[in-house]
Amino acid sequence: MSAILSVRDLEKTFGSVVAARDISLDVPAQQTVGIIGANGAGKTTFVNMITGHLSPSKGSILFEGNDITGLPSRTITRLGISRSFQVAQVFPSLTVTENMWAAAAIARGRDSIIARALTPLDTPEAKTEADAAMELFQITRYRDARAVTLPQGVRKLLDIAMAVAGSPRVLLLDEPTSGISIEEKFGLMDVVMSALKTRRITVLFVEHDMEIVGRFADRVLAFYDGTVIADERPETVLANPRVQTFISGTKPAGEGAVHA
Amino acid sequence: MLTAFAIFSDGLVYAAYLFLVAVGLTLIFGVMKILNVTHGSFYAFGAYGAATAAGVWFDRGWSDAGGLLFMVGLAMLIGLAIGIVLERGILRFVYGKDEVVIVLVTYAVFLILEDVIVLVWGPRSYAAYQPMVAAGSIDVGDLTLSNYDIGMVVLAAALAAFGYWALKFTRYGKLLTVVIFDREVAAAYGINVKVIYTVTFLIGAMLGALGGAVMAPKISVTLGIGVEVIVLAFAVVAIGGMGSIEGALIGALIVGFGRAAAVHLVPQVELFVIYAVMALVLGFRPHGLFTQPAPRKI
Amino acid sequence: MASRGTLIGAAAFAILAAGAPLLPQWLVSLSTIAFANALVVLGLVILWRTGLVPFGQALFYAIGAYAVALLGRYTPVRDVFVVVIAGAVCAGIVAYLVGFLLARYREIFFAMLSLAMSMILYGVLVKTETLGSTDGFHVEAGSFFGWRPQGAMRNLALFWLVLGCCAVAAVLVARYFRSVAGALAIPVRDNEIRVEFLGISVDRLIHLKLVISGILAGMGGALAALAVQHVDPQMAYWTTSGGFVFVTILAGAGSVAAAFVGSLAFELVRSIAVDLLPGAWQLILGSALLLTILFLPEGLGSLYARLRRRKEETAP
């Protein structure tokens, strides 16, 4: 099966600090990939490079066979790679519906700014798209609430729903369950993952909770010190004692050197 | 050669003036993140206050040196008084609002104070030339330099050195540095940020008035002097980097020499060379020469 | 709702246009200036909705005005329609060019850089003899498709011209507010990063806003030059920009109508205040601005919205 997303020798350095290195992998279409690792292991840097927030220092990123390395984030979004954020990024002074309209309208229009000034925001197509996405993510009952008033879980769902409004083929979720109580986590992930399955979207999600990774991922990437140290099926990775030590943050004996 | 020397001396004097008017502005911005349009009013009140003081003092024929001290002292007292009214009466209610909104608040106050000047001093011009005359001049080659101007350069240099020392080595300076770096952290460590704000604003206000007082003998103290100064000071501060004392110094020198060169070489561009430099610097370094932009985090 | 607003607006314009001959001369002249300036304010409203406050919008205002004055002085072009369009186009081009720099900035940096741009023009105007230097120069009366009205008739004709320009601008800007680019103003103010990641360039959105507001300011400046029959560098000075910002904050960014009502109210209050309380005009101005910011942060326009909401709430 050919990969929808391919990464070769990806590296990111900030001055003398190596945030990511030697990352090479292929993601086939419609796979669900969990990304684990301690804080500072390079997970978010990886996500930021794929989605164009950071430009890689070295290496290449191919999406559906096209080189997207170093393109600005908005271009990457328009090509079909969307993302959500660790801290939900929504428009607080707009209602949920208006948030969705904005997302759907941006996603549907052409790239020309002049064309954007000539098309109305609330076209029937955009409204239908917004309604469908709200339904899919089960936030329709909040439709008239301002985003600033939403409970954390709903705000997360709205953030992801907005990312999905552009009909992406690949979606990166940066810690979709951070800030969510343990009881709510599984419910939220059930909604998100079944929605994304319906839309046949390839998913890469960063997650700290191993139980969630085990339940939802087809494949797990374990990050440590800027690179991928394990890339296997979840049950294999999670049983790996090396991974367990790394993720819990304690270094095993004989691996003292940290890249500076 | 003569032109080069004239550019150098004029540039230095003009830079001294710019630094004197910009240092208070940049201090307030650095600590409080307030772009204070009323700085122009402090300058104007300082100048008017000094002119009034000069009238009172020199009409009685008292000594020249004392006169200058009296002028500066009265001006700074007025600056202090207005500063207290402003900070306690208005600004403290808008802390934490959008930066742009606070600029508008200070703009509103600036408009009010412009008319207060008319109410207090009337529409006529004042002169306070006495200290300038008393100081005399010296001849350097073919060029005549005013001792008063030399004194102004010395004052600006001393103020810059004192500011540097105070920020680096005094307790208050260190506290300020912490507040500039991160006010939440400062508050969390038990620093009384509110008091720091008040004190900083008052120092800034007095510095603005000082600038006006020092300039009063060199200019005709008349309506609208604050309007002009505020945009000049903005330009200087923007070039150097808002909130940085070194930045204000470098900005003042760049603008000072730039303008002096323009005056002597291409007088047509004199008025806009300052803003052209500002646009140029900001085009390449959006946050000025001496400040680093905060990285965007997601 | 939008269509009711359009109807009310159209009715207001029609009544004004029809009633103008009955109004006293001074009121016609005052309204002409007020509505010419309202176009500038309308442009500022577009930027203010995204949280941007340009302290140098007088740049475009002066460009529009000087375009008219220079055409009158150095070319045989006198037709008011042509010169007004020329003023708007010139300002639009300048806005497009400085936009490449300005659109990258936000908050006070945007305000300051815009201020610097306008002060450059001010410096150029003051120092250039061929541009009239400090005194500026006289603006030719102009003709309306060959018709050259005099005295009171000219004032009326100009008023109708300004009113026509305002009507067109109001319709187009209202349309723009409903478009994707226009409606994204609040999202941009709320969360730029989100907007970028949804797939649209915020810088380009702001660049477009700058060009639109520049065109409006240029048109306003051109009309003001025709009305006053004089241009001078003061039109580019930062206090002129400050005046426009003032009316914008006072009116609020809620609607297109606010710009016109706000500008008219401003000119009326000014002319009354200057008569009754000479020397206290800026004091009144500053106090009003201060009170607006402190107690009505959404502008006077929001008062109306508040009243209506209260009515709806008390209604059964």
Side-chain angles (χ1 to χ4, degrees), chain C residues 10-11 105 123 150 186 191 197 222-223 250 258 263 268 281 292-293 310:
Chain C
Y105 295 80
Q150 299 296 323
I186 292 157
N191 192 340
F197 273 99
L223 291 166
L250 216 60
S263 190
L268 277 173
W281 166 233
T292 309
I293 293 172
R310 195 166 304 160

Side-chain angles (χ1 to χ4, degrees), chain C residues 40 44 54-66 91 114-115 117-119 121-122 125 213-214 217-218 221 232-245:
Chain C
V40 190
L44 286 188
F55 251 91
Q57 199 70 355
L59 168 67
F60 309 121
Y61 185 68
I63 295 259
Y66 269 78
S114 138
L115 172 77
M117 297 290 184
S118 72
M119 291 304 288
L121 179 70
Y122 173 77
L125 292 177
S213 77
D232 62 46
Q234 200 64 32
M235 293 183 109
Y237 202 61
W238 77 272
T239 46
T240 306
S241 303
F244 292 132
V245 169

